[in-house]
Amino acid sequence: MSRHLPIVAVTPFPAAAAHELKDAQLRANLGRATRTIRDKRARVVAEVPDWEELRERAARTKDEVLDRLPELLAAFEAAAVGAGAVVHHAADAAAANAIVADLVRQQGAERVVKIKSMATQEIGLNEALADAGITAIETDLAELIVQLADDTPSHILVPAIHYNRAQIREIFAERMPGFTAESDEPAVLAGAAREYLRRTFLSAQVAVCGANFAVAETGSLVIVESEGNGRMCLTLPGTLIAVVGVEKLLPRMADLGDFLRLLPRSSTGERMNPYTSIFTGVTPGDGPQRLHVVLLDNGRTKTAQDPVGRAALRCIRCSACLNVCPVYERTGGHAYGSVYPGPIGAILSPQLTGQDAGANRSLPYASTLCGACYDVCPVKINIPEILVHLRQTGPKPAAERAVMSTLSWVMRDRRRWRAALRAARTGAAPLRAVTRRHGGTLRRAPWPMTAWTAHRDAPLPAPESFRDWWRRTHAE
């Protein structure tokens, strides 16, 4: 049975954004949170004198991964298997979900604990496990809040950024077993979640994680997190299943240092990450005794073949681009309709799924092209360039194609162009008086231009061209 994947938007971005913009509480929560993270990031980045060199080096490393992807995947698999892991390959979401569900069944488990993982959200793993009769319990605090609320994440790094603490207390009181506190103090809420999750950790047989990085040289997986829940998942259950996007590879262990300097500063504004776990295969008597690595493609190989769009696969999921984006700050993540919101989601989701999937073709237009995302990206992804590229290559309505084709024909000939301008000025003359109080712009055009003015104003043609003005004012 086909199932909607969380990476595919159902509603076009303009319609979803218009709905979210009506929520004043959402805008207040987002504005406060993104300003705080943005300011912290700026302070700690300014402390690093070789920040630009770090960005350049990291971008080159990720480009090397894309250039050598088959070779590095083979090297990672050989090293991981040699250390006792079992490596699986999944071409798409359905294959990855089936592999994970089968592995959990083999252990006779009815529930799994999870570390926050964008790859598993991308493939809809929780929903697929539920269909198989297996309960997935999120152990990251923000993911737990979202799961208890029966909601979806709205930020890559801070999934519950759209909630304030009063709202979180209400969710806990309604959905968390044993929660009775009246206070919404952060320490009280965190303590309640810790107590609830500890019982879950101790009884779990299987854990599921992603990986921030996978080192081809050694077959190691690297997970960075800030709460310690990941460390519990990586050490207590007997079976660990890691779902890893193939673009997460690094060629060498020596490359990891650059990314461990870039990632925490760009994501949470911290100088170093609180918990960094690096593990390789299986160690008898220590930690999980069964390690399965599911290498996920799901559109990545195809994306890597696009000479412009492939740079999106450099992404290390820091979400710095979200925190500086004026569109994201006002609409929030749910407006994007994909697990990857914000500027990076606007270029990543349509490429992984194809722009024909659902409403994903509307995502490249969810941007002002201001370039702030490019300025803060730790791996120098030129997001505005890719947005324009996707707009140029994406599917367009038949009416728009016809209009653009006609304009192209008119503009290729000087006489046709002049005649068209004269006709446009003559036709627009009656509208000048009507639109004067709007600065000479048309806010709602008649059909067939209705869609063009649905989300933008249309300026009327100037009363005279520059050439006509020059002749009139320089007649001598």
Side-chain angles (χ1 to χ4, degrees), residues 254-266:
D255 298 320
L256 184 59
D258 286 343
F259 292 93
L260 293 183
R261 293 179 70 193
L262 287 165
L263 182 55
R265 284 180 164 83
S266 300

Side-chain angles (χ1 to χ4, degrees), residues 81-96:
V81 170
V86 179
V87 175
H88 310 259
H89 294 266
D92 54 28

Side-chain angles (χ1 to χ4, degrees), residues 218-345:
T218 60
S220 306
L221 297 176
V222 183
I223 292 180
V224 297
E225 41 113 6
S226 57
E227 298 172 10
N229 63 300
R231 190 68 60 81
M232 303 285 272
C233 289
L234 296 176
T235 54
L236 291 176
T239 300
L240 178 61
I241 305 170
V243 181
V244 183
V246 295
E247 84 284 11
K248 295 299 182 70
L249 286 170
L250 295 179
R252 300 158 292 268
M253 185 63 80
D255 298 320
L256 184 59
D258 286 343
F259 292 93
L260 293 183
R261 293 179 70 193
L262 287 165
L263 182 55
R265 284 180 164 83
S266 300
S267 56
T268 54
E270 295 171 301
R271 296 181 179 86
M272 64 181 294
N273 200 66
Y275 293 88
T276 300
S277 300
I278 305 174
F279 53 102
T280 308
V282 173
T283 301
D286 184 12
Q289 297 302 291
R290 292 165 294 280
L291 171 61
H292 295 270
V293 183
V294 182
L295 293 173
L296 175 70
D297 191 304
N298 207 32
R300 287 160 172 79
T301 299
K302 184 179 179 183
T303 302
Q305 294 168 356
D306 185 322
V308 178
R310 72 198 301 253
L313 296 177
R314 294 179 193 161
C315 179
I316 57 174
R317 311 290 191 266
C318 70
S319 68
C321 59
L322 276 68
N323 300 327
V324 298
C325 178
V327 176
Y328 176 85
E329 185 174 328
R330 284 156 182 79
T331 65
H334 289 159
Y336 295 80
S338 166
V339 294
Y340 297 115
I344 187 62

Side-chain angles (χ1 to χ4, degrees), residues 327-409:
V327 176
Y328 176 85
E329 185 174 328
R330 284 156 182 79
T331 65
H334 289 159
Y336 295 80
S338 166
V339 294
Y340 297 115
I344 187 62
I347 61 172
L348 194 57
S349 302
Q351 292 198 92
L352 292 181
T353 64
Q355 294 203 59
D356 287 327
N360 277 6
R361 67 184 179 193
S362 69
L363 296 180
Y365 296 88
S367 170
T368 64
L369 302 179
C370 69
C373 49
Y374 182 32
D375 292 340
V376 300
C377 178
V379 286
K380 302 199 74 167
I381 302 172
N382 192 335
I383 293 177
E385 179 185 52
I386 301 176
L387 286 168
V388 172
H389 170 66
L390 294 177
R391 292 179 186 185
Q392 291 171 336
T393 57
K396 296 176 178 60
E400 183 178 334
R401 288 202 305 272
V403 169
M404 291 300 172
S405 176
T406 303
L407 280 175
S408 173
W409 177 78

Side-chain angles (χ1 to χ4, degrees), residues 160-222:
I161 196 171
H162 52 295
Y163 290 119
N164 60 33
R165 65 190 196 187
Q167 293 170 314
I168 293 170
R169 199 209 74 81
E170 290 177 12
I171 294 168
F172 280 12
E174 186 177 343
R175 303 287 181 88
M176 181 183 284
F179 181 83
T180 57
E182 295 294 329
S183 171
D184 62 4
E185 286 297 316
V188 173
L189 299 175
R194 185 179 297 116
E195 186 177 342
Y196 167 72
L197 288 173
R198 282 290 166 93
R199 296 192 296 269
T200 308
F201 286 130
L202 292 173
S203 61
Q205 297 173 263
V206 180
V208 176
C209 67
N212 294 92
F213 307 101
V215 182
E217 180 182 46
T218 60
S220 306
L221 297 176
V222 183

Side-chain angles (χ1 to χ4, degrees), residues 111-139:
R111 67 177 184 176
V112 301
V113 289
K114 281 188 67 203
I115 305 175
K116 176 176 165 46
S117 157
M118 295 306 299
T120 60
Q121 290 183 23
E122 171 189 322
I123 61 177
L125 179 63
N126 287 11
E127 295 80 1
L129 290 177
D131 291 343
I134 300 164
T135 302
I137 300 175
E138 299 287 351
T139 63

